[in-house]
Amino acid sequence: MDVILTEDVAKLGEMGEIVSVAPGYGRNFLIPRGMAIPATNSNRAQVNHHLAEIEKRKTEERAAAQGLLAKLSGVSVTVPKRSGDEEKLYGSVTNREIADLLIQQGHEVDKKMVVLEQPINELGIYLVPIKLASGIYAHVKVWVVSL
């Protein structure tokens, strides 16, 4: 099934691209969430017509991301957690916790912007990427300390 992406989708493509996906993924996930529209001839023509608007929106998003990148450079957050043997945590540090701490510091960050391959399970210092726009990442230093 071919769909036209209406926003950037991780590991799939950027806004305005026509991509081929499994029919169930397109029909049950992407289209209902407004992340894509079916790639019919009329939708393709409409997207080609609005391509300049899409490029303008991408440029605006990148400009806003550059401003946020300047604010986030050099920022660090401290996460106090209970820990056990060998500096292992009881629980883990998630993207939601990091986003909440950044919001408390006055930064406009959503939990979906915090990129963690897996939750943090040990004490230490971590450099966590924050995805601001397509290809623009800020890196925040996260200090996980014992409570």
Side-chain angles (χ1 to χ4, degrees):
M1 170 181 207
D2 288 340
V3 294
I4 303 169
L5 298 176
T6 56
E7 61 185 59
D8 292 350
V9 179
K11 299 180 184 175
L12 189 58
E14 293 185 0
M15 179 179 8
E17 286 186 28
I18 298 173
V19 294
S20 183
V21 297
Y25 182 55
R27 208 175 29 251
N28 298 325
F29 184 77
L30 294 174
I31 294 172
R33 286 182 170 77
M35 300 168 88
I37 55 174
T40 62
N41 288 335
S42 62
N43 285 344
R44 287 175 198 236
Q46 186 177 15
V47 167
N48 287 335
H49 178 70
H50 294 292
L51 204 53
E53 290 178 24
I54 291 171
E55 288 300 320
K56 182 180 175 186
R57 191 177 340 158
K58 281 184 183 180
T59 305
E60 290 172 356
E61 285 178 4
R62 288 182 190 275
Q66 290 293 342
L68 193 55
L69 178 64
K71 288 182 185 178
L72 284 175
S73 62
V75 170
S76 66
V77 294
T78 303
V79 183
K81 285 286 198 177
R82 287 187 43 188
S83 62
D85 298 337
E86 300 174 9
E87 299 184 345
K88 297 280 186 185
L89 298 179
Y90 293 124
S92 60
V93 179
T94 62
N95 57 349
R96 178 183 297 255
E97 290 177 276
I98 295 169
D100 289 342
L101 289 169
L102 288 170
I103 289 170
Q104 287 175 4
Q105 290 184 1
H107 302 288
E108 302 168 16
V109 175
D110 186 43
K111 71 174 185 168
K112 294 177 185 175
M113 296 168 71
V114 179
V115 181
L116 285 178
E117 295 296 322
Q118 57 189 1
I120 299 171
N121 295 320
E122 294 182 359
L123 296 176
I125 304 168
Y126 299 90
L127 201 58
V128 177
I130 310 291
K131 183 177 182 177
L132 304 174
S134 180
I136 300 175
Y137 291 89
H139 290 82
V140 174
K141 192 176 285 190
V142 178
W143 297 69
V144 182
V145 297
S146 183
L147 185 65

